[in-house]
Amino acid sequence: MRSRDSFPTPEKPSKRRICMSRPPDSPTRSATSPPGSNGGAPKGPALWAVAGGKGGVGRSLLVANMGIQLARLGKKVIVADLDFQGANLHTYLGIGRPAKSLERLAEEKESSLASLLLDTSVSGLKLLSGAPQSFAPNQRERILQRFFGQASSLGADMVLLDCGSGRGGDVLDPFRMAGAGILVATPEPASVESIYLFMESLLGRVFESPLSSDDQEKLEIARCLDEGAGEGRSSFRAALERLRGEGETRLVDRIQESLRPFRLRLIVNQIRSDAEAEIAPMLRSGLDKYFGLELKCLGCVEYDLSVQQAVQKRKPLSQQYPNSPATQGIERAVSTLVSPSRAASGEALLLHRNLGELDLYRLLEVPPGASSKEIQAGYQVLKRAYDPENSFRHPLLSNSQVQRLASMLEAAYRTLIFLETRTDYDRKLVAQGVLQADQVKASEAEGTPPARPPTPPTPETVSAVPVSARDDSQQAPVKEAAASRSSQVPGEGLPVTGATLRQHREAKKMALETIVEKTKIRPAILEALEEERFADLPEPVFLKGFLRQLAACLGLDPTVICREYMRRMEPPAAQDEPRAQ
């Protein structure tokens, strides 16, 4: 009897041929159903290809652990290692030398994908392992033909493809053929540049089939015409605007139609600070302004030492360290990925209008009802993103192009940040039918709060007793009690101990289960922490993270709580040493 999470074996593998120069006719989903969803009647799994443009961004680790998290949500998941140059996805799943791999397809020893699926330690998760050696171009083509031809019969809900690193055809083809891709970046200039260069190469691969050689030449000429000093290429979006201005509307329509099926997502890995997390909105804005493509961010994954320890132990991160910050970041990204999203089949692409024709709200990437603080915060991010001296920028564009875009953003900001000019602009948008009247009222009301009702003046009373002679003894206990209450906080007047942390939690009427739900820290660890059973606590590198999470949940200073509690765990001699100095 087959178990609930088993995958059915297809009766007969598909013999369908797939052209390598264009995406397949979506054998895994209907034409109107966006990637990542199963539409009305599911015809196959949702395919998500994962690539990063360069190595070292944690792509394979993310694929493995995203598969684990999806399986925990009750999905039937397959993770496929399509890294044709260095397949190692099995390592991140805790599997040694795979018994079966795609090598059998390349050597034509096997024709069925389902027979190559390997069980993992996670129920509902299967692995399609890659081969340790590299493949010849004809072997890669054969593997991709059979993979995408049989994907609809694998009986899975989702398939994650590890596409490898680089910008060669062996990476671009599976990413393009999947139709839905997840880009992985790290907060490093080289990684951000690789994302932009990957998109440039991907677009070139996409247009090989739908565009004739003459059309491709027209597009290339439009991209080579830089309005600045000529030290760079025009952005893809600027090139389409130039073609549209020259009357090449049919060519622009064909280009847009070729890009319509694509859905792009982003994960920023190895984040150490909030400043590094700004890479996500910068890349999202860059793909909008430079390529006219929508890039939705799934989330950021923190830099975590537990990742290295899990890899060294050859154990899946999500199983070995389920409460680590990196695991929680991956869990949040998966939740965003599977959350229902608006179907985009009938929506116009961002490319359908020139950049200069967009309204100022759309240009600054803020909603029409945004407050002044939101407009200012959004502009500051864009200002840093389009600074010509910024290290995280498109490497092929000239400084003059970036500066022109920065000038457009500054002009939009100056119009929207002042109430008078914003009100006039909103009224124009209402007259044009772009905004609704209620949105204008919201913006007009901002910054001009309703006047307070007048309060009757109270007659000034003069005490007959001199100030120096007044008895404030009754007020002193009240002040002392207030000061005492404000100081009864661990780390601020109270020592940081397990008992004081428990008392503070109980004073805030937070049950232990509430802390567990918010921080994902196991109850046994929280109990050992409050009872100061140091022998039952995890290693310091993980305990520090738990202490910071607990402090943030309780409204305490994470740095102080972590430092003082870790100090209590030190031997007495180590505690006295700083005082002796």
Side-chain angles (χ1 to χ4, degrees):
M1 180 178 297
R2 183 184 296 131
S3 61
R4 289 179 56 192
D5 59 342
S6 62
F7 292 78
T9 302
E11 298 179 359
K12 185 178 181 181
S14 173
K15 300 295 185 181
R16 179 177 183 173
R17 296 285 296 176
I18 297 178
C19 178
M20 294 298 296
S21 60
R22 65 180 180 87
D25 297 332
S26 188
T28 61
R29 61 178 71 88
S30 62
T32 59
S33 178
S37 66
N38 290 334
K43 293 186 177 181
L47 303 181
W48 285 96
V50 184
K54 67 180 293 291
V57 297
R59 181 198 65 256
S60 297
L61 180 132
L62 289 175
V63 171
N65 288 276
M66 288 176 69
I68 293 175
Q69 297 295 340
L70 286 168
R72 288 177 176 175
L73 294 177
K75 305 286 186 181
K76 294 181 180 179
V77 188
I78 295 174
V79 288
D81 196 343
L82 297 184
D83 187 347
F84 294 112
Q85 301 298 330
N88 61 353
L89 184 58
H90 58 278
T91 303
Y92 296 98
L93 290 171
I95 298 176
R97 183 179 178 85
K100 298 176 290 186
S101 70
L102 291 174
E103 181 181 5
R104 292 177 176 268
L105 283 183
E107 298 176 353
E108 298 187 349
K109 295 180 179 179
E110 190 70 51
S111 59
S112 172
L113 275 182
S115 62
L116 299 179
L117 296 178
L118 299 173
D119 293 326
T120 67
S121 59
V122 181
S123 176
L125 177 63
K126 301 282 187 177
L127 168 66
L128 184 60
S129 178
Q133 79 278 3
S134 59
F135 295 106
N138 62 326
Q139 292 177 317
R140 293 198 302 266
E141 181 176 353
R142 185 183 305 117
I143 290 174
L144 291 180
Q145 287 174 351
R146 292 181 176 177
F147 179 86
F148 286 97
Q150 300 180 34
S152 59
S153 60
L154 291 178
D157 298 318
M158 298 190 73
V159 178
L160 300 179
L161 315 180
D162 184 354
C163 294
S165 58
R167 302 187 296 274
D170 55 337
V171 178
L172 297 174
D173 283 334
F175 193 91
R176 171 183 53 82
M177 295 168 74
I182 300 174
L183 299 172
V184 181
T186 57
E188 301 173 356
S191 176
V192 174
E193 288 185 1
S194 295
I195 293 295
Y196 284 126
L197 295 177
F198 180 86
M199 291 304 304
E200 294 282 358
S201 301
L202 179 64
L203 293 181
R205 199 76 170 180
V206 168
F207 298 143
E208 286 182 358
S209 178
L211 300 185
S212 64
S213 57
D214 291 341
D215 289 341
Q216 293 184 39
E217 184 177 0
K218 291 179 182 179
L219 177 60
E220 181 62 23
I221 292 175
R223 296 213 58 185
C224 291
L225 297 177
D226 180 17
E227 298 176 1
E231 71 271 22
R233 290 164 55 87
S234 289
S235 68
F236 175 73
R237 184 166 194 162
L240 291 195
E241 293 179 2
R242 185 174 291 112
L243 290 174
R244 190 181 287 118
E246 295 175 354
E248 297 286 351
T249 55
R250 292 186 178 180
L251 173 56
V252 174
D253 290 342
R254 286 196 297 272
I255 292 175
Q256 292 184 173
E257 195 62 29
S258 301
L259 296 175
R260 188 175 299 278
F262 281 90
R263 302 293 179 266
L264 295 174
R265 302 293 184 266
L266 172 69
I267 295 179
V268 182
N269 194 21
Q270 302 176 15
I271 291 296
R272 293 178 174 85
S273 64
D274 292 340
E276 291 186 346
E278 281 191 0
I279 298 300
M282 286 183 179
L283 275 173
R284 183 192 65 222
S285 179
L287 260 71
D288 175 11
K289 301 293 193 296
Y290 295 145
F291 296 95
L293 299 176
E294 184 179 21
L295 178 67
K296 295 182 179 180
C297 183
L298 297 179
C300 298
V301 179
E302 294 183 34
Y303 176 83
D304 192 348
L305 293 177
S306 60
V307 172
Q308 183 179 3
Q309 296 191 17
V311 172
Q312 290 177 346
K313 296 178 180 179
R314 298 180 69 91
K315 298 290 185 181
L317 172 68
S318 297
Q319 290 183 322
Q320 187 72 12
Y321 304 110
N323 297 318
S324 66
T327 300
Q328 294 179 13
I330 296 173
E331 182 180 355
R332 290 191 295 268
V334 167
S335 299
T336 305
L337 179 65
V338 300
S339 60
S341 59
R342 181 178 53 181
S345 58
E347 296 180 359
L349 293 175
L350 302 179
L351 281 170
H352 78 290
R353 295 175 61 189
N354 292 345
L355 200 60
E357 298 174 354
L358 300 179
D359 64 80
L360 301 186
Y361 293 103
R362 176 65 184 81
L363 191 63
L364 287 180
E365 303 174 23
V366 295
S371 65
S372 296
K373 290 184 178 180
E374 292 172 334
I375 293 175
Q376 186 174 15
Y379 171 69
Q380 292 301 324
V381 174
L382 296 180
K383 182 180 179 181
R384 289 189 289 270
Y386 298 103
D387 183 352
E389 302 300 324
N390 183 19
S391 301
F392 301 93
R393 50 166 292 183
H394 196 310
L396 299 183
L397 303 185
S398 62
N399 289 341
S400 58
Q401 294 183 75
V402 179
Q403 186 60 51
R404 285 196 301 272
L405 186 53
S407 300
M408 293 176 61
L409 295 173
E410 182 180 2
Y413 171 72
R414 291 185 177 277
T415 300
L416 297 183
I417 197 61
F418 298 109
L419 181 61
E420 183 178 356
T421 55
R422 180 180 180 181
T423 301
D424 293 340
Y425 179 73
D426 285 348
R427 287 171 178 167
K428 293 179 181 178
L429 293 184
V430 171
Q432 298 171 2
V434 178
L435 286 184
Q436 301 296 326
D438 56 348
Q439 294 174 308
V440 175
K441 291 179 181 179
S443 63
E444 287 180 345
E446 183 190 350
T448 56
R452 297 180 180 178
T455 56
T458 56
E460 183 179 358
T461 58
V462 180
S463 174
V465 182
V467 175
S468 59
R470 293 178 188 172
D471 184 8
D472 293 336
S473 59
Q474 295 181 354
Q475 298 181 4
V478 178
K479 295 180 180 179
E480 292 177 0
S484 176
R485 285 194 299 269
S486 64
S487 63
Q488 301 303 310
V489 175
E492 298 180 12
L494 282 181
V496 178
T497 66
T500 58
L501 290 176
R502 182 181 66 252
Q503 293 171 3
H504 185 72
R505 173 178 62 80
E506 293 174 348
K508 295 177 71 69
K509 298 182 179 180
M510 297 183 68
L512 203 63
E513 292 76 11
T514 304
I515 303 295
V516 172
E517 182 179 357
K518 290 185 176 182
T519 64
K520 308 299 182 183
I521 302 175
R522 291 196 297 269
I525 295 179
L526 291 173
E527 292 174 355
L529 194 149
E530 291 184 348
E531 297 172 7
E532 293 194 352
R533 290 186 278 108
F534 298 147
D536 297 334
L537 292 175
E539 299 176 7
V541 64
F542 304 114
L543 179 58
K544 291 179 181 179
F546 294 155
L547 286 169
R548 290 180 179 276
Q549 289 179 286
L550 176 61
C553 188
L554 295 177
L556 302 174
D557 188 334
T559 302
V560 174
I561 297 300
C562 179
R563 182 185 66 241
E564 296 300 322
Y565 193 93
M566 295 301 296
R567 183 179 177 82
R568 290 183 61 81
M569 299 179 61
E570 298 176 357
Q575 296 183 19
D576 296 337
E577 184 177 354
R579 297 190 182 94
Q581 294 177 353

